Amino acid sequence: MNFPILSTLIFLPLVSSFFILLSKDKTKNVSSISISLFSSVATFFLSLFLWYSLDINTSEFQFVEEKSWINNYIKFKLGVDGISILFIVLTTFITPICIISCINSVKVRVKEFLIAILILETFMIGVFCSLDLVIFYLFFEAGLIPMFLIIGVWGGPKRVYSAFKFFLFTLLGSVLMLVAIIVIYWITGTTDITQIYEIQIPKEYQNILWLAFLSSFAVKMPMWPVHTWLPDAHVEAPTAGSVILAAILLKMAGYGFLRFSIPMFPIASEYFTPLIYTLSIIAIIYTSLVALMQDDMKKLIAYSSVAHMGYVTLGIFTLTKQGIEGSIYQMISHGLISAALFLCVGVVYDRLHSRMISTYGGLVNYIPKYSFLFLIFALAALGLPGTSGFLGEFLVLAGTFQKSFLAAMLATFGVVLGAAYMLWLTKRVIFGVTNNSEIKKINDINKSEVVMLVTLAFFILFFGFYPLPLMETFNVSVNSLINNYETALITN
Amino acid sequence: MINNLYIMFPEIFLSLSIFFILMLGVFIKKSFNLIFNLTSLIIIITISIILTNPNNEERIFLESFIRDPFSNYFKILILLSTLFVLNSSKNFIIDNKLDKFEYPVIILLSILGMFFMVSSNDLILFYLGLELQSLSLYILASIDRDNLRSTESGVKYFVLSALSSGLLLYGCSLLYGFTGSTNFELIADQLNKDNTGAVFAMVFILVGLAFKVSAVPFHMWTPDVYEGAPTSITSFFAVVPKVAGLALLIKFMFVPFSNILLEWQTIIIFISIASMILGAIAAMIQKNFKRLLAYSSIGHIGYALAGVATGAITGYKSAIVYISIYVIMNIGAFSCLYLLKKDGQYKENISDLSGISKKNPLIAISLLIILFSLAGVPPLGGFFAKFYVFVAVLEKEMYALAIIGLITTVMSAFYYLKIIKTIYFDDSIITFEPTKNRTAQFSVIASCTILITFFLYPSILNNLVNTLFVS
C-alpha cells in the first residue's frame, strides 16, 4: 500500500483548519461548523476504513510510513497495530461529537474554537500513530497548546489558574521523558521503537528511564498524587474541552504505558509493579471518596475519571492477558462514558448556567428524555453489566486476582464506592425534589443533543453486549506484548 | 600579500561603502531615507559577495585574518538579521524622530567590527574588531539623546562594557606574556594545564566575552539597556551582537583554548546554569515587554552556552543552530512591538497587550506562535533548537546540566504563558491603530512561517552547520 493513509489521517484535520481560517462568514459561523464537521466525519470514516483494512491476525505494525527526518538518524515513522487503531477510531469518533456540542455551548469566537479542536485532533491522532519516540513526544507535547487555549479562552471563571496548572504540570512531567528519550537514543542509537524493542536496554538504565517515562504518563493519566490538575481543568474547560480531555487526552498515558514502558523496559516494569499497584489502589479508593463529597457535577465526574484511570493502570501492570485487555477496554469505554457524562452536564449547564448539584433535582419530571439518557450513562459509569463499563472493570479485576489478592480486594471495594457516588449523583440530579423554580421552564434536549447522546448511548450498550469487535482487534497485539514481556524477563 | 586581498573583499567593500554613505549623509540634507535604503542595498550586496566568493579556508595578514565557512556563516547570519531588524524598525525610527543619517551608518560600522571579530585569528585583530563593535553600540544605545532613559542606558552600557573590555585586554596581554604569541594557533600550541598564568588569562577573556553575550553573572547591563534604548536599537542589541559574541566563544574554545578545555568548560557550565536559572526566575515579575525579552535572552544564551559547554563539535553545532533559531524568534517578537501603535506611541508594557486577540487577531496569533516557540513547545522551531542542545549535552552524559535546563524551560514557560494569557484570556483595553508597517508585518509573518514549518524539515540548519567544521 503506497498511499500514505496515516499521514492523510493526521493532517486532514490540520488542512481543514486552514480552510476554516480562510472561510468568511459573519453570521452564525455556518460554514466554519460545516467544514469542520465534514472534515472530522471524513476523518472518522477514513479511520474506520483503516480499522476495516487492518489485518488483526498479526501483531506487526501496519501501514508503516517512513521518511527521513532529522539528519537521517531520526525517522518520521508512523504505523498502527491492533491496540493503537482503537484509540485512533475513538479520537476520530469523539471529535465530531465535540464539534456538534459546540453548536449549543460555544457562543464566542466559534471559528477559533473549531480550529483549536481540529489542530488538537491532528496531534492526538499523531500520538497514537507514531512509531518513533521523538515524533511521539512532539505530538504528545504539541497537544498542550490548543488545550491550553481551549481552557483559557472559553473556560469558566477560574480558567486562567486551571489552564496554567494544566500546562505546567504536564510540561514538567514531560521534560523528564524528553531526557529519557535522548538517553535512549544515545544508548541504542535509534529512537525507532520497533528497533528498540529488539535491542534490550541495559538493566542498569531501565529503572531510571522507566521512572522518567512514568513522570510524564503519571501526570497525564493522571495518577494519584499528581492528579490535582485534572479536576480544575475539567471544571473550568468548556464542554467540548472536557470531553476531549477525559475521552482522549487521558488515554494517551495508558497507551504510552502499553506502547513504551512495558515493551522497552520489561525488567523495570516488573520491578515497579508494587508501586503502581499502590498508587492505583489509592487513586481508586481515595478519589472515589473525594468524588462522593463533591457538590459540583463536573468535579465529581473528573474525580471519577481519576478512579477509573486507577483501574487502567492497575490492569496494565498486572501484566496478564485479562488485565491488559481489560485496561484497553476500560479506556475505550471510559472514553465513551465520560464523554457522554460531560456532554450531559454541558446540556444542563447551557440552560441554567450552573454545575452545582444543588441547583438541580427532579429533572425527570421536566426533561424525561435527558433523564433517561443520563441514567444510562450513570449506570454505565458505575459498571452495570450490559454496559461497556462493566466488562473493562471485570477483566481488570480478573487479571488482578491472579497477581495480588489484596489489591483485587481493595479495587473491588472501589467498585462499590463508584456505585455509591454515581447513584447518589443521579438521585440528587435526576430524581428528588425540585427546589429551583427555573427547572420547570427548562427545555428538553434538542436535535443535535439527541444525535450526540443517543449515538454514545448506542455504542456504550452495543459494546456492553457485544465486545467481540474490540476484543478481536487487540487480541493478537496484546498476546505478543505479553509474550515479548515474558521472554524478556526469562532471558534476564 | 596584496594579490590575495580578495579574501577580505566583503570587509573592504563594507568599509568603503560606509565612508561613501557617511559622506553622502554629510553633504545631502534630509538624507535619512536615501542612506537607509542604501544601507539595505549594501547589506544585500555584501551578502551576495560572501555567497559568490569561494568558501574554503584562506588566511591573510600573517594569518591574523581568516576566511572560512565558519566565519562566513556568521557573517551572513549577522547581515541577514541586521537587514530584518533595520527594515522592520524603519517606521519606528521615523515616528520617534531618530531618523538621523548616522543611525544606519553606525549600525554598519558595528557590523564591520563583528566581521573582524568572527574572522580574527589573532588577539589584536580580535580586540580591535570587538572595540569597533562596542564603540558603535555605545552610541546606538544613547542615540535618542534627548531621552533620559536612552542616555542613561548608553552611559551605563559604556561604563560596564569599558570595564569588561579592560578585563579582556588584560587577559589578552597576559596570554601574550605567557605564550609569546598573539596568533590563536600558536597560543594553542603553547598552552597546557600547567600554564597557570594562561588559565588566569583565559578567565579574564571569558569574562569579557560573557559580558558581550550578557551571560550571568555579567548580565547586569542587559535589562536596563534593553528597556532604556529605543526599541529599534534594543532589537538590534538582542540579536546581532549575541551572534557575534557566541561565534567568538566557540572560536576561542575551538582554537586557542582547545588544550585547556576542561578548565574553560567548568566555567561555562556554571555560567550556563546561572543564566538559565536567572533568566527563568527574573523574567517572571517583569511588566515591560522589552525588559522581559532581556531576561528571556539571558536565559536563551544560557541554553546556547549549554551546547558550548559540552566542549564537543556536536555541542558547538547545536549552539549555532540554537542561536540561529533564537535570532528568528527575536526578530519576530520585536517586529510585533512595532505593530502595536496607539496615538503615535509605541506600547511596550505587557498589560497593553491585554485582549488584543479580539481586535488584532493576526498580531495575537503571531505572538502566540513566537512565544510558544521561545518557550520551546513542540512542534515549533524553538523546540528543535532546545532538542539539539540537549542531545549534544546528553551525549557527553552531562545529566545535571540537561535536567536543570529542562526544568528552567518549564519555569520560563510560565512567563511566556503569562503574556499569552494577557493576549488571549484578558479583556481588551487598548484598540491599536491598524498599521501600514509592511516591513514589520513581513518580518513577523516570515518569522512565524519559519517557526511553524520548521518541523517539516528540521535538519535544514544542521546540514548547513555541519559544513562549518569540516577541518
Side-chain angles (χ1 to χ4, degrees), chain A residues 69 71 109 141 159 179 186, chain B residues 357 378 391 406 425 455 459 463:
Chain A
W69 195 50
N71 275 6
R109 298 205 240 179
E141 285 293 271
R159 60 187 195 272
V179 174
W186 288 116
Chain B
S357 61
V391 167
L406 285 165
F425 305 173
F455 82 99
S459 46
N463 294 345

Side-chain angles (χ1 to χ4, degrees), chain B residues 343-456:
Chain B
D343 305 331
Q345 290 268 315
Y346 287 89
K347 298 290 179 185
E348 51 187 53
N349 280 332
I350 293 172
S351 55
D352 296 332
L353 294 172
S354 184
I356 60 167
S357 61
K358 286 172 194 134
K359 303 274 170 56
N360 307 63
L362 280 177
I363 303 178
I365 190 93
S366 319
L367 271 173
L368 177 86
I369 292 162
I370 292 164
L371 291 168
F372 270 122
S373 176
L374 282 165
V377 180
L380 302 167
F383 165 73
F384 291 97
K386 288 208 167 79
F387 178 74
Y388 294 134
V389 167
F390 289 121
V391 167
V393 167
L394 286 170
E395 186 190 11
K396 289 280 157 194
E397 306 196 332
M398 298 156 105
Y399 297 114
L401 185 60
I403 288 172
I404 291 174
L406 285 165
I407 288 173
T408 53
T409 305
V410 180
M411 285 158 70
S412 58
F414 175 74
Y415 62 79
Y416 295 121
L417 288 185
K418 251 174 70 178
I419 310 176
I420 292 166
K421 173 220 145 208
T422 318
I423 296 173
Y424 272 89
F425 305 173
D426 290 357
D427 294 326
S428 66
I429 302 171
I430 304 176
T431 314
F432 289 100
E433 296 166 11
T435 63
K436 294 191 184 65
N437 193 344
R438 296 275 174 251
T439 45
Q441 282 168 342
F442 176 76
S443 301
V444 173
I445 290 168
S447 151
C448 291
T449 317
I450 294 173
L451 294 176
I452 294 177
T453 52
F454 195 78
F455 82 99
L456 292 177

Side-chain angles (χ1 to χ4, degrees), chain A residues 136-448:
Chain A
F136 171 76
Y137 182 81
L138 194 88
F139 285 124
F140 192 76
E141 285 293 271
L144 291 181
I145 301 176
M147 200 61 213
F148 174 76
L149 293 175
I150 287 174
I151 298 176
V153 177
W154 292 275
K158 273 174 67 192
R159 60 187 195 272
V160 176
Y161 170 77
S162 310
F164 271 62
K165 200 171 177 183
F166 162 75
F167 194 98
L168 294 176
F169 256 67
T170 325
L171 192 64
L172 189 63
S174 315
V175 289
L176 287 178
M177 182 164 81
L178 181 62
V179 174
I181 288 173
I182 299 173
V183 171
I184 289 174
Y185 174 72
W186 288 116
I187 295 172
T188 61
T190 178
T191 52
D192 179 342
I193 56 166
T194 48
Q195 288 178 34
I196 297 174
Y197 285 172
E198 280 153 30
I199 309 164
Q200 275 282 326
I201 292 176
K203 234 177 179 171
E204 62 269 24
Y205 284 105
Q206 281 206 8
N207 284 358
I208 191 84
L209 290 176
W210 188 90
L211 284 174
F213 272 79
L214 176 75
S215 78
S216 174
F217 295 150
V219 172
K220 201 86 175 183
M221 193 88 195
M223 288 165 76
W224 185 87
V226 283
H227 66 281
T228 54
W229 63 270
L230 184 78
D232 287 314
H234 267 320
V235 169
E236 298 305 326
T239 306
S242 296
V243 169
I244 288 195
L245 195 59
I248 305 159
L249 290 188
L250 303 190
K251 310 301 177 288
M252 287 180 183
Y255 172 76
F257 279 127
L258 291 170
R259 177 67 77 233
F260 303 106
S261 294
I262 293 174
M264 291 197 308
F265 321 117
I267 304 167
S269 297
E270 206 220 357
Y271 180 78
F272 284 111
T273 309
L275 174 74
I276 295 282
Y277 280 3
T278 319
L279 294 181
S280 308
I281 295 295
I282 294 177
I284 292 170
I285 296 193
Y286 168 76
T287 50
S288 298
L289 288 172
V290 174
L292 263 177
M293 300 317 296
Q294 297 305 317
D295 40 20
D296 180 323
M297 286 198 271
K298 265 188 159 179
K299 226 169 189 162
L300 190 147
I301 301 167
Y303 277 111
S304 85
S305 288
V306 182
H308 282 127
M309 289 299 113
Y311 290 105
V312 173
T313 44
L314 187 67
I316 289 174
F317 281 90
T318 59
L319 293 158
T320 56
K321 188 167 157 52
Q322 287 82 3
I324 291 181
E325 292 197 342
S327 294
I328 299 173
Y329 209 87
Q330 171 83 338
M331 280 194 267
I332 303 290
S333 103
H334 178 259
L336 300 173
I337 296 169
S338 65
L341 283 171
F342 277 117
L343 285 171
C344 282
V345 177
V347 166
V348 285
Y349 182 78
D350 290 340
R351 287 162 174 69
L352 292 185
H353 300 286
S354 165
R355 294 182 307 261
M356 291 298 144
I357 295 173
S358 53
T359 315
Y360 302 96
L363 283 179
V364 70
N365 301 321
Y366 305 100
I367 43 174
K369 279 188 258 173
Y370 171 83
S371 306
F372 173 68
L373 288 166
F374 188 97
L375 196 63
I376 293 179
F377 300 136
L379 292 176
L382 64 85
L384 189 80
T387 63
S388 63
F390 167 72
L391 209 82
E393 274 176 18
F394 175 78
L395 281 173
V396 167
L397 292 174
T400 316
F401 267 111
Q402 297 171 32
K403 288 285 168 117
S404 160
F405 186 74
L406 181 67
M409 280 290 290
L410 291 168
T412 318
F413 182 59
V415 178
V416 181
L417 285 175
Y421 62 71
M422 259 356 268
L423 288 177
W424 197 27
L425 172 75
T426 319
K427 187 231 147 203
R428 285 181 291 172
V429 173
I430 301 296
F431 304 106
V433 195
T434 313
N435 295 323
N436 189 342
S437 57
E438 282 179 50
I439 289 183
K440 290 171 186 156
K441 285 176 265 167
I442 202 169
N443 297 322
D444 210 338
I445 44 181
N446 63 27
K447 265 181 202 158
S448 64

Side-chain angles (χ1 to χ4, degrees), chain B residues 90-156:
Chain B
K90 189 176 179 188
N91 283 19
F92 178 91
I93 296 169
I94 295 170
D95 289 343
N96 283 288
K97 308 215 163 37
L98 299 172
D99 48 347
K100 305 161 184 140
F101 75 89
E102 292 93 340
Y103 188 115
V105 177
I106 298 173
I107 285 202
L108 279 185
L109 266 176
S110 74
I111 291 178
L112 186 66
M114 291 174 208
F115 270 36
F116 282 112
M117 280 161 75
V118 296
S119 266
S120 63
N121 196 33
D122 186 282
L123 286 176
I124 295 173
L125 188 67
F126 147 70
Y127 187 74
L128 288 178
L130 189 86
E131 278 306 283
L132 179 58
Q133 179 231 24
S134 306
L135 283 170
S136 316
L137 293 184
Y138 306 148
I139 305 169
L140 285 176
S142 49
I143 196 146
D144 191 5
R145 63 175 183 192
D146 298 330
N147 183 330
L148 194 65
R149 310 279 300 275
S150 175
T151 324
E152 183 199 325
S153 78
V155 174
K156 211 175 246 173

Side-chain angles (χ1 to χ4, degrees), chain B residues 74-334:
Chain B
F74 277 100
K75 282 174 191 168
I76 288 176
L77 190 59
I78 288 168
L79 287 171
L80 274 179
S81 44
T82 313
L83 190 67
F84 275 94
V85 166
L86 260 185
N87 279 300
S88 57
S89 62
K90 189 176 179 188
N91 283 19
F92 178 91
I93 296 169
I94 295 170
D95 289 343
N96 283 288
K97 308 215 163 37
L98 299 172
D99 48 347
K100 305 161 184 140
F101 75 89
E102 292 93 340
Y103 188 115
V105 177
I106 298 173
I107 285 202
L108 279 185
L109 266 176
S110 74
I111 291 178
L112 186 66
M114 291 174 208
F115 270 36
F116 282 112
M117 280 161 75
V118 296
S119 266
S120 63
N121 196 33
D122 186 282
L123 286 176
I124 295 173
L125 188 67
F126 147 70
Y127 187 74
L128 288 178
L130 189 86
E131 278 306 283
L132 179 58
Q133 179 231 24
S134 306
L135 283 170
S136 316
L137 293 184
Y138 306 148
I139 305 169
L140 285 176
S142 49
I143 196 146
D144 191 5
R145 63 175 183 192
D146 298 330
N147 183 330
L148 194 65
R149 310 279 300 275
S150 175
T151 324
E152 183 199 325
S153 78
V155 174
K156 211 175 246 173
Y157 184 49
F158 171 67
V159 173
L160 289 172
S161 184
L163 182 71
S164 88
S165 293
L167 287 175
L168 192 78
L169 194 57
Y170 186 46
C172 290
S173 33
L174 269 181
L175 201 59
Y176 174 66
F178 280 101
T179 58
S181 174
T182 56
N183 182 287
F184 283 177
E185 273 134 11
L186 292 178
I187 291 173
D189 293 341
Q190 294 290 321
L191 274 188
N192 55 47
K193 277 180 204 153
D194 309 328
N195 199 338
T196 323
V199 175
F200 263 96
M202 183 265 296
V203 174
F204 283 120
I205 290 178
L206 186 56
V207 169
L209 290 178
F211 181 89
K212 301 292 175 207
V213 295
S214 70
V216 178
F218 311 104
H219 65 284
M220 313 297 188
W221 60 278
T222 322
D224 293 334
V225 174
Y226 272 41
E227 195 186 350
T231 310
S232 56
I233 300 294
T234 311
S235 62
F236 184 74
F237 268 61
V239 172
V240 187
K242 299 272 161 81
V243 175
L246 192 83
L248 269 184
L249 262 172
I250 293 171
K251 193 168 193 126
F252 265 90
M253 275 189 97
F254 196 55
V255 188
F257 293 133
S258 50
N259 291 335
I260 49 169
L261 210 56
L262 228 70
E263 281 76 6
W264 177 242
Q265 245 182 320
T266 336
I267 304 176
I268 295 201
I269 291 174
F270 167 74
I271 290 181
S272 158
I273 289 178
S275 305
M276 292 189 288
I277 293 176
L278 185 114
I281 293 174
M284 285 182 191
I285 49 168
Q286 301 307 325
K287 299 203 162 53
N288 182 297
F289 197 56
K290 279 156 71 183
R291 217 177 160 80
L292 182 131
L293 283 173
Y295 282 108
S296 119
S297 81
I298 294 174
H300 282 287
I301 283 297
Y303 294 105
L305 287 181
V308 179
T310 56
I313 291 193
T314 46
Y316 302 152
K317 283 179 190 163
S318 73
I320 297 174
V321 173
Y322 195 96
I323 202 81
S324 313
I325 296 175
Y326 163 84
V327 165
I328 297 168
M329 297 190 289
N330 263 35
I331 288 175
F334 276 102

